Amino acid sequence: MSTNTTDNQRKVTTRRLIEMKQRGEKIAMLTAYDYSMARLIDEAGMDVILVGDSASNVMAGNITTLPMTLDQMIYHAKSVVKGSQRALVVCDMPFGTYQGNSKEALASAVRIMKESHAEAVKMEGGSEIRESIERILCAGIPVMGHLGLTPQSINKFGTYAVRAKDEQEAEKLIADAHMLEEIGCFALVLEKIPAALAKRVADELTIPVIGIGAGGGVDGQVLVMHDMLGINKGFSPKFLRRYADLSTVINEAVSRYIDDVKTSDFPNAQEQY
Ligand code: KIV
């Protein structure tokens, strides 16, 4: 497959992601939460930047994603949008801002779009939140679905183990995936489910299916930036590939700086006015 430079520099849109699936071109998605990292990730050529509510874990140090507020997500998304030129910026709707009723869900999504200038929202769940998704779609806001392991429901699951291993849960996931496509979602994230099931869903849907811990048979992959860069070394599930060891790089750099300050090596004669 040939993609020319001009095409590579073109702004990524929801429509373009669907075209990528049609061409068999894989979609790369990564999380970001601030301006500087978004800029680096965008410049490297990322297709989609997700302002994930995983910010709760990796930015705020919480155990779950539940404490994240709408104001906090808008703050992160606003910073990421400023750092992104080419990538499509998708913002997670945080826990409690869309499950109650569809009117509240629409108001939350409108705030994200108006205040952060993100280009789409992501919502966890299937038939249970259908009405909320439909209302948001009716307002012209693109929605990315999210099925399988849905971390906002951790208190219901009681575990972060692989989902949809049994037939009943797998059948519900397949039905939910089709429903999300039918009502107009532009893409779907499948988290931590068996690879064969994820491939089946990706083969059956016309919208792109982006996996995390869902194998290679889907249309694209997403990872949490801190995990793949090795900033967050305490988290090492089987599906994670580490592309850098930034915790060691940062620790060594900071230790050298401390030593240089303590020994009066920094600043030297050239590093002052
Ligand atoms: O919040 C997040 O980072 C996510 C990804 C893991 C898909 O939802």
Side-chain angles (χ1 to χ4, degrees):
M1 183 181 326
S2 73
T3 45
N4 61 39
T5 318
T6 321
D7 199 48
N8 280 341
Q9 284 163 351
R10 256 173 63 211
K11 170 78 188 147
V12 179
T13 59
T14 56
R15 190 194 167 97
R16 204 171 151 205
L17 293 178
I18 292 169
E19 289 167 5
M20 286 168 78
K21 171 161 180 150
Q22 287 164 353
R23 286 199 303 268
E25 186 183 341
K26 296 273 186 179
I27 296 164
M29 172 160 138
L30 189 63
T31 67
Y33 317 96
D34 67 347
Y35 165 78
S36 301
M37 290 307 294
R39 198 158 62 86
L40 292 174
I41 289 169
D42 186 77
E43 281 170 6
M46 194 61 58
D47 298 312
V48 184
I49 299 184
L50 171 66
V51 187
D53 60 358
S54 48
S56 182
N57 311 105
V58 298
M59 300 299 288
N62 296 313
I63 291 167
T64 73
T65 57
L66 274 67
M68 218 57 196
T69 67
L70 194 55
D71 284 340
Q72 288 167 336
M73 289 307 298
I74 290 169
Y75 167 81
H76 287 294
K78 229 175 179 170
S79 313
V80 167
V81 166
K82 285 185 199 146
S84 314
Q85 289 194 339
R86 178 184 173 275
L88 180 84
V89 178
V90 180
C91 180
D92 258 338
M93 293 190 66
F95 175 68
T97 64
Y98 60 96
Q99 294 93 343
N101 64 63
S102 61
K103 218 170 151 185
E104 192 188 346
L106 177 60
S108 307
V110 165
R111 272 202 64 200
I112 289 175
M113 302 297 283
K114 262 186 187 291
E115 296 177 38
S116 77
H117 298 180
E119 294 153 314
V121 296
K122 177 164 82 57
M123 299 165 72
E124 295 183 9
S127 54
E128 312 78 17
I129 57 159
R130 177 181 179 145
E131 198 186 309
S132 292
I133 299 175
E134 283 182 314
R135 197 155 187 163
I136 292 170
L137 287 166
C138 275
I141 300 172
V143 176
M144 176 180 273
H146 183 156
L147 299 172
L149 177 65
T150 46
Q152 291 178 11
S153 305
I154 182 58
N155 293 307
K156 180 172 132 194
F157 297 146
T159 167
Y160 286 105
V162 178
R163 303 302 313 174
K165 278 165 89 174
D166 67 76
E167 206 180 315
Q168 202 184 351
E169 198 180 330
E171 286 307 322
K172 173 162 168 34
L173 186 142
I174 292 166
D176 278 342
H178 279 280
M179 180 275 292
L180 291 172
E181 166 161 295
E182 273 157 31
I183 65 175
C185 288
F186 73 93
L188 172 64
V189 166
L190 290 180
E191 180 164 354
K192 226 173 170 185
I193 64 167
L197 174 61
K199 180 175 176 352
R200 178 175 163 189
V201 173
D203 287 348
E204 288 182 10
L205 297 194
T206 58
I207 58 171
V209 174
I210 320 275
I212 172 164
V218 290
D219 307 303
Q221 299 294 326
V222 56
L223 285 175
V224 169
M225 182 244 298
H226 288 63
D227 301 339
M228 63 86 82
L229 291 180
I231 296 172
N232 179 22
K233 273 171 95 177
F235 182 68
S236 48
K238 183 179 173 183
F239 69 78
L240 176 64
R241 186 179 293 181
R242 279 219 180 83
Y243 288 85
D245 181 7
L246 286 198
S247 67
T248 303
V249 171
I250 292 170
N251 187 280
E252 282 174 8
V254 173
S255 300
R256 275 176 36 224
Y257 167 67
I258 293 169
D259 278 352
D260 289 353
V261 171
K262 300 275 183 196
T263 59
S264 298
D265 181 76
F266 174 78
N268 63 25
Q270 286 76 46
E271 291 163 333
Q272 53 191 290
Y273 301 100

